[in-house]
């Protein structure tokens, strides 16, 4: 296990380096931030001062080199717009995004797996067909459209749920969270459903296909021959086997949930990282974009590692040392 | 004399498939006494496994038991609720399946899979259940049973896994074990060991055993009684020595002649001409008549079960009589 993790970490460092280069180049290609940074009425001298202040007059390789040197010391630069360290800027937004992502993940697991299991166990039931239909809808409609529709129906027409913001928050271990207040929960519900819907549909399909396959297996028939109670067959023998592929997919999907919460956060004005990065792209706040993208890369690496380890826990046949 | 452990009367199990009605088991009758070993022999698709599953109550859709009676220790299983049948399964009627690589759940420890078989049938503490598991593993010859309990199935060889399955079957001291080709997936030496162990385990405990196999030679060395199935029917049944010495049905005779040990060295092996008929929409008459050199017009109607005494029955209008020879 430790050999596996060490090797993984080395690979990860190389990956982060390559990514940082791509991100840096990509951000440069988007456009020159100077026009958004400087007031249109500013004099040429003021303009020049700002360019020099941010080092934007330096050649690309020099800016990249300086970025790397700073990054090695844990400094990912300062935001042009807020003149604050990008890391702390992002860190402020992390709890909101994480909270939303976890809520979406929880919804996915708690709703998706039981529904998929049910549809797999009763493939001919009308309710199973309905579940399948909804899941087909779920990964066919674009997230932004679904979000807008939910706002229109539940916030505008019915007025049941608020359409934007986090609502009332309370501090939990020094971090503001919404899920502990009724108002916060109400604010969280729509964005969480919006963020979860695609994954939910995916997990329903996966769980259903897995269940149908496992139910046909000899070991389930054997479990029945042992006279086990039906609930034990379903929740131990079937579910544990179905969970193996689901864990992998959920792990990867969780990364995507955080990285691409951008759309949902923008629609529901959820003050998370995704909204920050969209705002930063709008004003070409390069350091924030670069730092955000690199953090996302690191997060994906970490999640993959955790998934691999979890996988070996769930499926005893997986031997991490033997891989590669 | 007390009631037989299992008495099957005119059992019919059919599959309602899209391709048509399949009479997988069609009027099968037999009985197994306490401690007796019955070999149920037939080729693939002859209905022998479905017979076993019917007794266990594990016939899956689109299949259904449509007729006949299954009496377990004198009680009609069809009259029991699903919950009562579940209580019998694994407790009074145990099963061993064909492929030990597939029958144990790959993601659960052997201990989990053994303990649950005990706890499904009564309130037993985990420690007590564990103790019984260790004892059962010891009985089937698994060394270091205590340590092996916490292993996963993939850490066992095929033969060891089948021993685990047999140990699980023995856990609740069943009255009947239905073993569906339990040694087919194993190599010959392991097969011989397991046959020997099963035999002594059963005779020691008075457990009846139905050994389903396509291999007549395996069953010949093990069983007290043999039933030969062909296309859903038992075509011949009788005590093992009698049946092997004087097979009445042409199919049984063909099977015996096909056993390699009965062939002359260097000669080509005997095989029954033709193919097993498809069971989909199988019509009237003796299913074997197409492959039989004794068939005539009489065989166009289904032969009834002729009881010829001495525990022997057959379904043939033109049975062989007298000693079986090798030619």
């Amino acid at each position: 296990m430790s050999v596996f993790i060490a090797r993984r970490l080395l690979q990860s460092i190389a990956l982060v380096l390559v990514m940082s280069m791509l991100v840096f180049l990509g951000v440069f290609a988007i456009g020159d931030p100077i026009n958004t940074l400087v007031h249109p009425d500013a004099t040429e001298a003021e303009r020049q001062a700002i360019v020099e202040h941010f080092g934007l007059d330096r050649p690309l390789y020099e800016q990249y080199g300086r970025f790397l040197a700073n990054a090695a010391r844990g400094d990912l630069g300062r935001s042009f717009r807020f003149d604050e360290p990008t890391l702390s800027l992002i860190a402020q937004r992390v709890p909101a995004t994480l909270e939303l992502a976890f809520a979406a993940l929880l919804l996915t697991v708690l709703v998706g797996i039981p529904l998929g299991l049910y549809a797999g166990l009763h493939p001919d039931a009308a309710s199973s067909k309905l579940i399948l239909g909804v899941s087909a809808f779920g990964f066919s409609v674009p997230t932004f459209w679904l979000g807008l529709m939910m706002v229109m129906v539940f916030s505008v027409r019915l007025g049941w749920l608020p359409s934007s913001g986090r609502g009332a928050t309370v501090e939990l271990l020094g971090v503001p969270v919404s899920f502990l207040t009724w108002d916060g929960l109400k604010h969280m519900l729509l964005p969480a459903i919006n963020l979860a819907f695609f994954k939910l549909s995916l997990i329903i399909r996966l769980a259903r296909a897995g269940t149908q396959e496992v139910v046909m297996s000899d070991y389930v028939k054997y479990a029945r021959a042992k006279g086990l109670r039906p609930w034990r067959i379903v929740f131990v023998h079937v579910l544990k086997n179905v969970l193996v592929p689901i864990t992998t997919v959920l792990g990867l999907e969780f990364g995507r949930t955080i990285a691409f919460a951008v759309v949902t956060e923008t629609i529901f004005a959820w003050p998370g990282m995704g909204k920050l990065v969209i705002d930063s792209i709008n004003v070409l706040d390069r350091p924030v974009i670069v730092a955000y993208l690199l953090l996302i890369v690191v997060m994906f690496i970490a999640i993959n590692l955790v998934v691999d380890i979890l996988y070996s826990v769930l499926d005893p046949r997986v031997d991490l040392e033997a891989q590669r | 004399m007390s009631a037989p452990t299992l008495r099957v009367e005119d059992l019919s199990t059919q599959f309602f498939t899209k391709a048509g009605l399949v009479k997988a088991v069609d009027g099968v009758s037999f009985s197994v006494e306490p401690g007796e070993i019955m070999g149920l022999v037939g080729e693939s698709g002859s209905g022998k496994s479905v017979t076993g599953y019917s007794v266990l109550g594990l016939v899956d859709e689109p299949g259904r038991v449509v007729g006949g009676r299954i009496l377990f220790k004198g009680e009609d299983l069809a009259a029991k609720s699903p919950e009562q049948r579940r209580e019998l399964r694994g407790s009074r009627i145990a099963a061993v399946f064909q492929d030990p690589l597939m029958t144990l759940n790959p993601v659960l420890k052997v201990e989990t899979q053994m303990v649950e078989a005990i706890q499904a049938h009564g309130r037993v503490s985990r420690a007590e259940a564990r103790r019984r598991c260790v004892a059962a593993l010891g009985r089937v010859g698994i060394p270091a049973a205590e340590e092996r309990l916490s292993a996963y199935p993939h850490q066992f060889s095929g033969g060891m896994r089948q021993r685990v399955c047999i140990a699980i079957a023995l856990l609740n001291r069943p009255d009947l074990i239905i073993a569906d080709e339990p040694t087919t997936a194993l190599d010959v030496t392991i097969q011989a060991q397991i046959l020997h162990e099963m035999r002594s385990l059963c005779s020691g405990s008075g457990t009846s055993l139905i050994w389903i196999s396509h291999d007549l030679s395996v069953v010949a060395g093990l069983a007290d009684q043999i039933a030969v199935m062909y296309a859903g029917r038992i075509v011949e049944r009788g005590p093992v020595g009698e049946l092997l010495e004087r097979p009445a049905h042409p199919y049984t005779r063909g099977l015996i002649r096909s056993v390699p040990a009965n062939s002359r060295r260097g000669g080509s092996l005997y095989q029954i001409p033709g193919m097993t008929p498809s069971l989909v929409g199988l019509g009237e008459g003796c299913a074997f008549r197409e492959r039989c050199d004794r068939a005539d017009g009489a065989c166009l109607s289904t032969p009834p079960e002729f009881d010829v005494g001495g525990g022997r029955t057959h379904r043939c209008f033109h049975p062989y009589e007298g000693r079986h020879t090798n030619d």
Side-chain angles (χ1 to χ4, degrees):
Chain A
M1 184 75 101
S2 50
V3 176
F4 168 78
I5 293 175
R7 200 160 35 200
R8 247 320 164 69
L9 285 181
L10 280 177
Q11 288 171 356
S12 308
I13 291 173
L15 187 64
V16 169
L17 268 178
V18 172
M19 265 307 292
S20 71
M21 217 177 293
L22 289 177
V23 166
F24 217 79
L25 277 173
V27 167
F28 254 84
I30 299 178
D32 192 350
I34 194 69
N35 293 324
T36 58
L37 286 171
V38 182
H39 195 270
D41 298 337
T43 64
E44 191 55 36
E46 284 170 330
R47 191 183 165 90
Q48 198 55 39
I50 290 173
V51 166
E52 272 169 35
H53 173 72
F54 289 119
L56 294 174
D57 52 345
R58 305 283 169 196
L60 178 57
Y61 65 87
E62 197 186 318
Q63 289 189 37
Y64 179 61
R66 205 169 46 188
F67 167 76
L68 272 192
N70 286 337
R73 282 184 274 116
D75 174 11
L76 288 181
R78 295 177 80 83
S79 160
F80 293 162
R81 187 163 51 131
F82 300 98
D83 200 26
E84 264 186 71
T86 52
L87 273 181
S88 68
L89 210 54
I90 292 172
Q92 289 162 15
R93 309 295 203 284
V94 165
T97 295
L98 275 187
E99 188 180 12
L100 189 60
F102 271 115
L105 185 73
L106 208 66
L107 265 179
T108 304
V109 170
L110 293 185
V111 178
I113 294 177
L115 286 185
L117 203 57
Y118 177 84
L121 290 174
H122 311 280
D124 295 325
S127 43
S128 301
K129 294 190 171 130
L130 181 71
I131 292 170
L132 275 191
V134 171
S135 80
F137 177 76
F139 51 71
S140 308
V141 301
T143 308
F144 74 87
W145 183 83
L146 184 71
L148 292 175
M149 287 302 121
M150 287 201 297
V151 169
M152 265 177 59
V153 174
F154 295 104
S155 307
V156 180
R157 284 278 162 79
L158 300 171
W160 289 352
L161 293 162
S163 66
S164 67
R166 280 185 88 176
T169 57
V170 286
E171 298 257 317
L172 180 71
L173 305 171
V175 179
V177 293
S178 301
F179 74 95
L180 290 178
T181 65
W182 178 238
D183 185 49
L185 274 180
K186 282 204 316 204
H187 278 83
M188 203 157 69
L189 189 61
L190 284 185
I193 291 176
N194 194 45
L195 195 54
F197 210 59
F198 178 85
K199 276 161 280 296
L200 184 69
S201 309
L202 188 72
I203 292 304
I204 287 177
R205 296 263 159 171
L206 261 181
R208 170 180 164 270
T211 305
Q212 282 186 316
E213 193 186 314
V214 171
V215 161
M216 298 300 287
S217 69
D218 280 4
Y219 55 80
V220 167
K221 193 147 196 168
Y222 183 65
R224 288 164 63 201
K226 285 197 292 188
L228 301 187
R229 293 184 175 85
W231 64 263
R232 186 168 173 98
I233 295 177
V234 170
F235 291 108
V236 177
H237 286 257
V238 175
L239 188 59
K240 203 161 178 216
N241 279 283
V242 171
L243 280 182
V244 173
I246 287 181
T247 311
T248 319
V249 172
L250 270 186
L252 297 176
E253 278 296 318
F254 185 62
R256 293 175 50 133
T257 308
I258 295 175
F260 306 118
V262 177
V263 176
T264 300
E265 287 184 3
T266 307
I267 292 172
F268 293 94
W270 187 266
M273 291 193 291
K275 192 163 183 317
L276 173 73
V277 82
I278 284 287
D279 294 347
S280 301
I281 289 173
N282 280 337
V283 299
L284 292 174
D285 195 347
R286 281 181 189 165
V288 177
I289 305 172
V290 171
Y292 171 78
L293 289 175
L294 281 183
L295 282 180
I296 292 293
V297 172
V298 170
M299 182 190 72
F300 265 94
I301 289 170
I303 286 176
N304 277 323
L305 185 65
V306 170
V307 167
D308 278 343
I309 292 170
L310 251 187
Y311 205 68
S312 75
V313 172
L314 271 180
D315 190 340
R317 290 166 298 181
V318 174
D319 182 359
L320 292 181
E321 298 289 327
Q323 281 183 358
R324 266 153 270 193
Chain B
M1 199 176 154
S2 62
T5 307
L6 182 72
R7 184 175 183 86
V8 173
E9 292 172 357
D10 206 24
L11 175 72
S12 291
T13 303
Q14 301 181 345
F15 287 79
F16 301 87
T17 67
K18 290 194 179 102
L21 180 66
V22 178
K23 295 178 177 174
V25 176
D26 188 11
V28 160
S29 305
F30 61 86
S31 75
V32 187
E33 300 298 324
E36 190 183 26
I37 300 179
M38 184 181 94
L40 192 55
V41 183
E43 44 200 294
S44 308
S46 61
K48 55 193 194 306
S49 296
V50 178
T51 303
Y53 287 133
S54 301
V55 173
L56 285 164
L58 289 180
V59 177
D60 284 321
E61 287 292 319
R64 215 180 316 145
V65 175
V66 293
R69 294 207 300 168
I70 303 170
L71 301 168
F72 178 70
K73 298 210 284 186
E75 290 180 53
D76 190 351
L77 291 186
K80 293 190 180 292
S81 69
E83 175 61 14
Q84 286 171 319
R85 296 208 68 173
R86 179 193 72 71
E87 279 168 9
L88 282 177
R89 266 200 305 273
S91 160
R92 305 323 325 139
I93 307 177
V96 181
F97 285 177
Q98 174 167 359
D99 190 349
L101 305 183
M102 307 294 291
T103 48
L104 292 172
N105 194 324
V107 302
L108 299 175
K109 284 180 183 167
V110 166
E111 175 174 354
T112 311
Q113 301 191 49
M114 293 189 81
V115 167
E116 70 183 2
I118 296 175
Q119 290 183 333
H121 300 289
R123 292 197 161 274
V124 180
S125 73
R126 191 162 183 98
E128 165 65 11
R130 220 184 119 84
R131 199 191 52 70
R132 276 167 62 183
C133 294
V134 172
L137 287 179
R139 238 180 301 159
V140 296
I142 290 183
E146 185 79 37
E147 295 158 34
R148 300 301 268 161
L149 264 187
S150 53
Y152 286 95
H154 72 277
Q155 293 164 312
F156 288 78
S157 68
M160 281 298 168
R161 278 192 238 186
Q162 196 59 293
R163 280 164 206 262
V164 170
C165 291
I166 293 169
I168 292 175
L170 295 170
L171 278 174
N172 295 309
R173 305 196 171 278
D175 299 304
L176 173 67
I177 298 177
I178 296 175
D180 186 6
E181 306 242 15
T183 58
T184 304
L186 306 177
D187 61 55
V188 183
T189 47
I190 307 290
Q191 174 173 312
Q193 288 173 12
I194 288 190
L195 285 176
H196 176 75
E197 281 162 17
M198 282 303 272
R199 201 182 166 92
S200 59
L201 288 169
C202 285
S203 65
S205 60
T207 302
S208 306
L209 176 64
I210 296 178
W211 189 278
I212 299 171
S213 177
H214 67 273
D215 190 342
L216 191 62
S217 58
V218 166
V219 169
L222 175 80
D224 304 308
Q225 182 198 171
I226 289 182
V228 179
M229 278 194 86
Y230 188 80
R233 300 193 184 111
I234 290 183
V235 293
E236 183 164 11
R237 185 160 62 87
V240 61
E242 277 279 304
L243 187 130
L244 293 177
E245 287 291 312
R246 283 184 287 279
H249 198 283
Y251 178 65
T252 316
R253 197 177 148 89
L255 273 187
I256 295 170
R257 282 183 68 190
S258 327
V259 173
N262 289 341
S263 301
R264 270 186 298 275
R265 179 175 289 274
S268 57
L269 300 177
Y270 176 79
Q271 67 183 60
I272 301 173
M275 301 264 289
T276 323
S278 163
L279 286 177
V280 182
L282 191 65
E284 272 289 289
C286 173
F288 190 61
R289 66 175 188 275
E290 303 285 329
R291 307 169 74 181
C292 179
D293 53 11
R294 295 165 83 94
D296 61 15
C299 306
L300 288 172
S301 57
T302 306
E305 193 151 75
F306 298 106
D307 192 332
V308 293
R312 295 196 58 177
T313 66
H314 65 74
R315 282 177 181 266
C316 184
F317 291 118
H318 312 290
Y320 285 91
E321 276 149 316
R323 278 193 81 78
H324 153 67
T325 49
N326 275 347
D327 51 30

